[in-house]
Amino acid sequence: MTASGSVPTFLGWALGVAVTAAILGTPYLFFAYHSPDLHLVLDSLDTGVALLVAYLLLGRYSRSGRLQDLLLADGLLLLGLAGIGLTLVLRLVGLDDDRGGVWLPVAVRVVGAALVLAASMTSARRPAARWNRPLKVLPWVTVAVGLVVTWALRDSLPLALALTPPASAQRPVIAGHAGLLAAHAITALCFAAASVTFAATARPRAGGRDELIRLLGPAFALAAFARVNYLLFPSLYSDWLYTGDLLRTTSYAVLLVGAAREIRHFWSMQAQAAVLEDRRRLARELHDGVVQELGYIRMETSTLAGEPEGRARILAACDRALDEARAAVDALGRSSDEPLGFVLHRAARQVADRYDASLEVELDDSIHADADQRHALIRITREAVSNAIRHGRSGRVRLCLDRHDQRRRLRVQDEGEGFDPVSVRRHAGGYGLTSMEERASSVRGAFTVDSTPGQGTTVAVTW
C-alpha cells in the first residue's frame, strides 16, 4: 500500500470502526434519532455529491480514456440515482410502496457498489473501443431494466422490513428479509474491498498527486461501515436519522473534498496549458524570425571574400547566436515533462547535424532533473558538442547520460585533436570552458575536462 493512499484510508477505517464500536458497546448512545428534515437534507446532499463526482469522472475519462474513470462514474451515478432521484421516479410511476420502493433502490445500489469494486481493480487499463458506448449507457440501462422488472413483479415482491420503527434505539435490530440483509452485506464488502484496493494502487499523476483517487480509499471505507450499520440497524424510515446515514454522508463529504481538489487541479492545468501555448507561440516567432535571419547571415558570410580570420570570427559569432536562439526556442516550446535523455539527445543532434557530424548516444531514461538543471545541462551539451566538432575537428561525438557512484553524470566524448585545458585557460581565456563550468556549479554539479592533444576530449558533469 502506497504512503499517498494509506494514511487517509487508515483514518477512514479507524473512524468507521470507532463509530460502530461506540454504538454497539455504549448503552448511552442511540443509533437513531427522529429528524425528518435533517434526513431529507442529508439524502439530498449525498445524491448531489455522487452526481457531481460522477460528472467529474466522466470528464476525466474523456481526457484520459481510462476504464477506471468510466466504471467509477457509472458506479457513483447509480449510487446517486439510488437516492432521492429514484424515489421521485418511483413515485411518478406509482411504485413508491413498501415493496418496489425498497427493492429497486437496494438492487441499484448493489450494482453501483459492484462497479466501484471493478473500477478499483482496473487501474490504468483502457476499454476496447466497442465497449465505450455500452459502458456509458450502463447506469441508465440498469435503472430502466430495474423499473420494468419491478413493475412486472410489483404484486409478488416480499416485504423488506416491518413498517413500525423499533421501540428502542439502544440495541441492534438485525431484522428484515434475508435479501435485504444480504444486499447490505454485499454492498459493504464491495466498498471495503474497493477502499483497500484504491489505497494500494494510488499513484501520483503529472502535476502532482491524484487527490480524487487518493481520497476514494477513506470515502469507501466510511461507505462500507455505513452499510454495516444499515445491516445492524436497517434504515427504511425517512423520519429517522441513523448512524448509517451519518457515516454515509461523511463518506460523501470526503468525496466532495476530492472533487474540489480535482476541480482546482483542472483549472491549474488549464492555466499551465495556456502558458505553454503562449510559450510555443513565442518559440515559433523566434524560429521563423531570429533563427532564420541568423542562418541567412551565416550562409552569406561564408561566401564573402576578405580576411579569413575576420570571416571566421563572424561565423563563430553567428554560430553562438544560433545556439542561443535555438536554446531559447527549445526552452519556450518544449514541455518540462519530456525525459531528460530525450531533451539532451535533441539538443546534441541539432548541433551535430549543422556540422554534418555523426552522433552516438547512450542514455538512461530513468534519470531526471528539475527545470533549472535541465536548462544548464542542455547548454553544456550544446557547447561541448559544438567545441568537439569545431575546435576538436571531430567527425563523431558520443553523448552519455548514466549513473556513477550513486550520482547522475553527463558526458560528451570525442576522438578529435584534443587540447591542453590549462594552456587554453591561460592563453585564450577558455570562455567556453568557463561558461560550462559556471553552469555546472549553478546546479551544484562537478565539472571536469579530460583532454590531451591528439587523443580527444571528454567533458563530464556529475550532479
Side-chain angles (χ1 to χ4, degrees):
M1 185 177 292
T2 61
S4 63
S6 60
V7 174
T9 301
F10 174 79
L11 294 176
W13 278 82
L15 178 60
V17 169
V19 170
T20 304
I23 293 298
L24 289 174
T26 305
Y28 305 105
L29 294 178
F30 297 131
F31 73 86
Y33 292 88
H34 188 267
S35 180
D37 293 339
L38 185 55
H39 189 281
L40 178 61
V41 169
L42 294 185
D43 272 354
S44 302
L45 175 63
D46 297 346
T47 299
V49 172
L51 296 179
L52 169 64
V53 178
Y55 177 77
L56 290 177
L57 286 165
L58 279 176
R60 279 171 55 124
Y61 172 72
S62 66
R63 300 189 301 272
S64 68
R66 294 193 312 170
L67 179 60
Q68 182 180 70
D69 291 334
L70 181 55
L71 290 177
L72 266 175
D74 286 348
L76 286 171
L77 180 57
L78 285 174
L79 293 174
L81 293 176
I84 291 181
L86 196 53
T87 300
L88 294 176
V89 172
L90 289 171
R91 177 166 296 181
L92 290 175
V93 298
L95 291 176
D96 58 330
D97 54 18
D98 302 322
R99 302 175 188 271
V102 173
W103 287 111
L104 182 55
V106 167
V108 168
R109 193 172 288 112
V110 170
V111 176
L115 287 173
V116 167
L117 177 59
S120 70
M121 298 178 178
T122 58
S123 187
R125 291 176 53 190
R126 295 175 179 268
R130 65 179 182 276
W131 290 106
N132 283 338
R133 187 175 297 277
L135 287 175
K136 286 182 179 179
V137 300
L138 177 61
W140 308 107
V141 172
T142 300
V143 172
V145 171
L147 285 170
V148 171
V149 172
T150 302
W151 179 268
L153 301 178
R154 62 187 182 279
D155 296 328
S156 57
L157 289 173
L159 189 66
L161 193 64
L163 298 180
T164 304
S168 172
Q170 292 183 338
R171 299 182 61 82
V173 285
I174 305 177
H177 192 277
L180 175 65
L181 301 180
H184 286 320
I186 292 171
T187 307
L189 288 174
C190 287
F191 284 150
S195 169
V196 174
T197 307
F198 276 123
T201 58
R203 292 288 184 272
R205 66 177 171 183
R209 294 183 304 190
D210 190 340
E211 292 290 350
L212 180 56
I213 298 299
R214 179 171 176 260
L215 292 178
L216 291 179
F220 288 123
L222 291 167
F225 279 100
R227 291 297 132 188
V228 170
N229 276 259
Y230 288 141
L231 180 63
L232 298 173
F233 316 109
S235 171
L236 296 179
Y237 313 108
S238 59
D239 290 346
W240 287 74
L241 187 69
Y242 286 71
T243 54
D245 298 324
L246 295 177
L247 285 170
R248 184 191 64 192
T249 299
T250 305
S251 74
Y252 282 113
V254 175
L255 281 179
L256 184 60
V257 173
R261 294 182 176 180
E262 176 72 12
I263 294 172
R264 182 180 64 184
H265 175 79
F266 173 78
W267 285 112
S268 175
M269 293 300 293
Q270 289 292 100
Q272 292 179 22
V275 171
L276 182 57
E277 179 58 32
D278 197 43
R279 286 161 59 97
R280 286 173 175 163
R281 181 184 61 79
L282 291 174
R284 288 193 298 270
E285 294 292 335
L286 277 173
H287 181 269
D288 296 340
V290 177
V291 174
Q292 298 293 345
E293 291 298 327
L294 285 173
Y296 174 76
I297 292 171
R298 186 184 188 282
M299 180 182 67
E300 291 296 315
T301 302
S302 65
T303 63
L304 291 176
E307 183 184 356
E309 291 184 0
R311 188 167 65 248
R313 287 194 297 271
I314 295 175
L315 286 173
C318 286
D319 287 340
R320 289 194 297 272
L322 280 169
D323 278 339
E324 292 290 334
R326 287 193 172 105
V329 169
D330 280 341
L332 286 171
R334 308 296 181 180
S335 170
S336 60
D337 294 333
E338 291 181 333
L340 176 62
F342 179 78
V343 173
L344 296 179
H345 185 186
R346 181 175 58 222
R349 174 63 63 189
Q350 289 174 349
V351 178
D353 288 347
R354 188 191 316 157
Y355 298 103
D356 294 324
S358 63
L359 178 68
E360 297 178 1
V361 295
E362 183 179 337
L363 306 172
D364 183 350
D365 290 334
S366 67
I367 295 178
H368 301 280
D370 60 34
D372 291 337
Q373 290 174 333
R374 289 162 68 96
H375 179 69
L377 293 170
I378 290 171
R379 302 302 294 270
I380 292 171
T381 298
R382 285 182 174 276
E383 182 72 23
V385 173
S386 177
N387 288 344
I389 300 171
R390 293 170 52 237
H391 302 305
R393 306 287 193 272
S394 177
R396 182 173 60 186
V397 181
R398 189 165 183 260
L399 175 68
C400 300
L401 181 65
D402 57 15
R403 297 184 186 275
H404 179 69
D405 293 337
Q406 297 183 341
R407 301 186 72 189
R408 295 163 290 183
R409 181 177 63 177
L410 168 67
R411 288 179 295 158
V412 178
Q413 300 172 311
D414 68 77
E415 300 174 354
E417 297 179 357
F419 63 97
D420 181 2
V422 176
S423 176
V424 168
R425 290 178 185 275
R426 183 184 304 121
H427 299 292
Y431 174 77
L433 295 179
T434 302
S435 174
M436 288 189 287
E437 188 170 12
E438 290 176 351
R439 293 188 186 281
S441 63
S442 69
V443 298
R444 298 180 297 279
F447 176 78
T448 60
V449 179
D450 182 11
S451 183
T452 303
Q455 298 184 18
T457 303
T458 298
V459 174
V461 180
T462 304
W463 77 102

